[in-house]
Amino acid sequence: MSIKEAMQIYFQMRKEIANEGLDFLFKTPISSEDNLIIYDGEVDEEEYISWKPVERTVLQDFTSLEDEFDIKLHKSIVEYFNSYWFADLDGFYQEHYIALEPVLPNSEISSFRESLKGYKENHGDSLKKIPIGIEGNGLLVVIENNNGIIQLEDFERGTFEHIAENIQELIGNLRLKR
């Protein structure tokens, strides 16, 4: 299964649960006028707007980012950012609550760049692992850049826990209900 297929299944499940009355699953704070392609409807009284995942047809080139950080990103990272635009991709995986990086039009690279910059500064100038999200207890969700394996990083302890073979396994097994 490709990452795009895993996302398609995930977003369909999210839609089905939202249709059961949990419409907040497709609501997000309005972040910028640039993201209009994913926004659906009007901003509500709490400054939230409905959103929908939009399949990407124009691919983002990561060459300048790779040159800037002197790395070659694992193909799964590039595929993740080039599959869909979306505001939220989160849920329960095993006993963990996982929230992956949103991919918003016109800001996907700048947000990811900042994440990489901070991670590199905190890890001895190394990007052997790439941050892709956060776990409910504050652990980082990282992808091993050489093989695509997903791990949870406890920065304070300096430990890593293997949780999935790849990003599509993680996304394909996310659940919105425990």
Side-chain angles (χ1 to χ4, degrees), residues 108-120:
E108 64 270 23
I109 287 294
S110 59
S111 172
F112 186 50
R113 174 182 280 115
E114 289 307 307
S115 183
L116 285 176
K117 187 176 166 188
Y119 191 86
K120 185 175 180 179

Side-chain angles (χ1 to χ4, degrees), residues 2-177:
S2 73
I3 294 171
K4 188 176 258 189
E5 290 167 334
M7 286 181 169
Q8 188 175 23
I9 291 165
Y10 169 84
F11 289 130
Q12 182 59 40
M13 172 192 63
R14 192 175 182 108
K15 185 174 195 262
E16 288 168 10
I17 293 172
N19 289 341
E20 293 172 6
L22 300 177
D23 64 341
F24 68 85
L25 289 172
F26 281 104
K27 294 250 182 190
T28 189
I30 192 156
S31 62
S32 133
E33 296 303 315
D34 292 341
N35 300 327
L36 291 178
I37 190 169
I38 69 165
Y39 292 154
D40 199 19
E42 300 296 319
V43 177
D44 67 17
E45 61 280 351
E46 282 131 21
E47 298 292 313
Y48 277 71
I49 191 165
S50 293
W51 66 273
K52 62 187 182 299
V54 175
E55 191 171 344
R56 296 208 40 180
T57 54
V58 176
L59 300 183
Q60 175 71 51
D61 183 9
F62 282 83
T63 308
S64 65
L65 191 68
E66 290 175 328
D67 290 348
E68 180 182 337
F69 288 98
D70 194 27
I71 57 169
K72 178 75 174 144
L73 292 170
H74 190 269
K75 63 182 176 18
S76 66
I77 297 165
V78 173
E79 188 180 341
Y80 175 84
F81 281 98
N82 277 316
S83 294
Y84 281 88
W85 279 306
F86 57 89
D88 293 303
L89 201 163
D90 59 351
F92 297 98
Y93 181 79
Q94 299 167 350
E95 70 276 7
H96 304 284
Y97 170 74
I98 303 283
L100 297 177
E101 282 280 328
V103 180
L104 298 168
N106 301 321
S107 65
E108 64 270 23
I109 287 294
S110 59
S111 172
F112 186 50
R113 174 182 280 115
E114 289 307 307
S115 183
L116 285 176
K117 187 176 166 188
Y119 191 86
K120 185 175 180 179
E121 287 171 3
N122 289 321
H123 290 80
D125 220 26
S126 171
L127 283 174
K128 291 181 179 157
K129 298 176 192 299
I130 305 296
I132 195 77
I134 193 148
E135 187 264 352
N137 293 315
L139 304 177
L140 285 177
V141 179
V142 296
I143 296 178
E144 275 195 41
N145 198 39
N146 64 341
N147 59 21
I149 289 174
I150 307 297
Q151 298 175 324
L152 292 180
E153 175 183 346
D154 184 329
F155 182 74
E156 298 295 318
R157 292 191 173 107
T159 60
F160 296 88
E161 175 190 348
H162 174 107
I163 60 166
E165 290 302 311
N166 51 48
I167 191 81
Q168 55 269 43
E169 178 185 318
L170 176 65
I171 294 168
N173 288 292
L174 281 175
R175 297 290 160 252
L176 293 168
K177 298 176 180 176

